[in-house]
């Protein structure tokens, strides 16, 4: 263990970091250009994380404008 945080399947911080990194790299070259859309896709446990991330960011109104949607594939109903 190199961090004080133990593993949790509900942690969305890693996805949040990746989305912010991608959004910063996808800025339009000219101010007249429209945004570059970003869609999130998660499968199985990734589907849970995508769904949770979209819910958290949507509720807080902090979802980047590039993120236009997401899809959850094979989301497990129960563990």
């Amino acid at each position: 263990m190199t961090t004080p945080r133990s593993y949790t399947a509900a942690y969305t911080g890693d996805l949040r970091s990746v989305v912010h990194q991608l959004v910063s790299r996808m800025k339009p070259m000219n101010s007249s250009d429209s945004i570059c859309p970003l869609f999130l896709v998660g499968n199985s446990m990734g589907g849970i994380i995508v769904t949770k991330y979209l819910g958290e960011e949507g509720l807080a109104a902090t979802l980047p404008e590039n993120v236009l949607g997401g899809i959850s594939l094979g989301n497990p109903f129960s563990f």
Side-chain angles (χ1 to χ4, degrees):
M1 302 257 321
T2 59
T3 63
R5 180 183 305 273
S6 62
Y7 173 77
T8 175
Y11 181 63
T12 57
D14 292 335
L15 178 58
R16 186 172 291 106
S17 296
V18 169
V19 168
H20 285 279
Q21 186 65 236
L22 288 172
V23 167
S24 71
R25 293 178 183 197
M26 295 168 61
K27 299 275 186 209
M29 299 300 279
N30 301 319
S31 59
S32 63
D33 292 342
S34 62
I35 64 168
C36 184
L38 179 65
F39 293 91
L40 306 177
V41 178
N43 183 46
S44 192
M45 185 60 73
I48 293 172
I49 293 172
V50 165
T51 303
K52 187 171 183 286
Y53 168 77
L54 291 173
E56 290 171 351
E57 297 296 310
L59 187 62
T62 55
L63 191 65
E65 66 178 6
N66 294 60
V67 180
L68 299 184
I71 187 168
S72 176
L73 305 169
N75 194 336
F77 183 69
S78 65
F79 286 65

